[in-house]
Amino acid sequence: MKIAKTSRILTPIEDWHQLPNGKTLLKQTQQRIDSYLPRCFGYHLLKLGRLSSLLDTSRSTISHQINCASDGEGIGLLADLHQLPLQTSSVDLCILAHELDFSSDPHQLLREIDRVLTLDGTLIISGYNPISLFGLRSLLKPKHSQTARLFLPNRVRDWLHLLGFEVKQKQHFDFLSGEFNSSFSSCIESIGQRYTPYFCSVYFIVAKKQCTPLTPVKSPFQFKKPSLAGRTVVTRSR
């Protein structure tokens, strides 16, 4: 299994068009964001990374929205995503689009998101799936600063469970990893998403931070209940 933390310096992607099939990928991601935004409520929405900041969240009922990245235009908060200068339990909704793919320490990134999210806060993550056409092409490319690190969707889900998140929704899309220029390609795409979702190039996860642990902690002490069997019960008569 690939080690999550790496010493290799990675350069985050600045625009969706830098990704393979970026225009279609942005459109499909935006559709899923739009379908879930009306279900999220609160006071503060945080979009982490340049790609997340380019997503349209105007449909959200959350008025205060923050774009956070290490640099770039239109960024309201310039900061290291692994060390967010935000108060604990202050964010109600966090969007993380393909930032795990270019993070040198994805565990720390998720821990920091867990810290700033409120109880019952929502986290939306999208990323690349290594078991896909995109993953096969990535194996043939030389490793450089803008090469994505691909983690299995189930591995990301396990990380979220360890932090106490409950996965509410998981989708897979972009089966062909190409432009849908014909009805035939669109049909193949829909069939791939329906019957072979684990071979799609992109996963989309919606997780909710839980107030209580998923596994109840049992007390090590056991108290025996008093037994009245074989004893005389005295009652008061008037």
Side-chain angles (χ1 to χ4, degrees):
M1 181 180 293
K2 183 190 298 183
I3 299 176
K5 187 176 181 178
T6 181
S7 58
R8 184 160 57 97
I9 300 176
L10 301 172
T11 304
I13 296 296
E14 298 180 357
D15 193 273
W16 286 89
H17 298 288
Q18 294 179 254
L19 298 174
N21 190 29
K23 183 179 179 180
T24 303
L25 182 59
L26 171 60
K27 181 179 178 181
Q28 294 188 78
T29 304
Q30 186 66 61
Q31 289 175 351
R32 285 158 177 82
I33 290 288
D34 290 341
S35 66
Y36 206 85
L37 281 179
R39 312 180 200 178
C40 301
F41 304 94
Y43 299 98
H44 306 288
L45 187 156
L46 178 64
K47 293 186 282 187
L48 291 178
R50 297 288 298 275
L51 300 185
S52 303
S53 301
L54 294 174
L55 291 169
D56 182 14
T57 53
S58 59
R59 293 192 178 187
S60 175
T61 59
I62 302 177
S63 58
H64 186 216
Q65 302 182 7
I66 306 171
N67 295 332
C68 179
S70 57
D71 57 11
E73 298 180 0
I75 302 300
L77 178 61
L78 297 175
D80 180 4
L81 303 188
H82 300 82
Q83 300 291 335
L84 295 174
L86 296 173
Q87 186 176 357
T88 301
S89 301
S90 59
V91 175
D92 301 285
L93 172 60
C94 180
I95 299 177
L96 190 71
H98 293 279
E99 282 299 321
L100 287 181
D101 299 332
F102 299 95
S103 172
S104 59
D105 192 354
H107 288 171
Q108 174 60 28
L109 178 56
L110 291 178
R111 283 194 295 265
E112 193 66 3
I113 293 173
D114 174 62
R115 181 186 67 82
V116 300
L117 272 181
T118 60
L119 296 179
D120 287 332
T122 302
L123 171 61
I124 299 178
I125 300 179
S126 67
Y128 279 118
N129 177 24
I131 309 178
S132 61
L133 293 176
F134 177 84
L136 292 177
R137 287 200 300 263
S138 299
L139 292 176
L140 304 176
K141 293 181 180 180
K143 303 298 181 182
H144 53 81
S145 61
Q146 289 190 344
T147 300
R149 305 177 65 220
L150 310 183
F151 301 104
L152 288 171
N154 286 341
R155 189 178 182 187
V156 177
R157 186 182 62 181
D158 290 340
W159 292 344
L160 294 174
H161 284 166
L162 289 175
L163 290 172
F165 284 85
E166 180 183 359
V167 175
K168 293 292 186 179
Q169 184 181 125
K170 187 173 77 166
Q171 299 181 25
H172 300 80
F173 59 94
D174 196 31
F175 179 73
L176 293 177
S177 297
E179 299 287 344
F180 310 142
N181 297 324
S182 65
S183 58
F184 177 75
S185 60
S186 299
C187 180
I188 295 298
E189 174 71 21
S190 61
I191 292 175
Q193 292 183 19
R194 182 173 182 179
Y195 296 104
T196 58
Y198 293 102
F199 294 99
C200 291
S201 298
V202 181
Y203 63 84
F204 183 87
I205 296 176
V206 179
K208 204 170 187 64
K209 185 176 178 179
Q210 297 298 293
C211 297
T212 57
L214 296 180
T215 304
V217 179
K218 295 183 179 180
S219 173
F221 303 100
Q222 295 183 356
F223 299 95
K224 295 182 178 180
K225 296 181 180 180
S227 177
L228 298 179
R231 298 183 181 181
T232 304
V233 180
V234 180
T235 60
R236 177 181 299 178
S237 60
R238 296 183 179 178

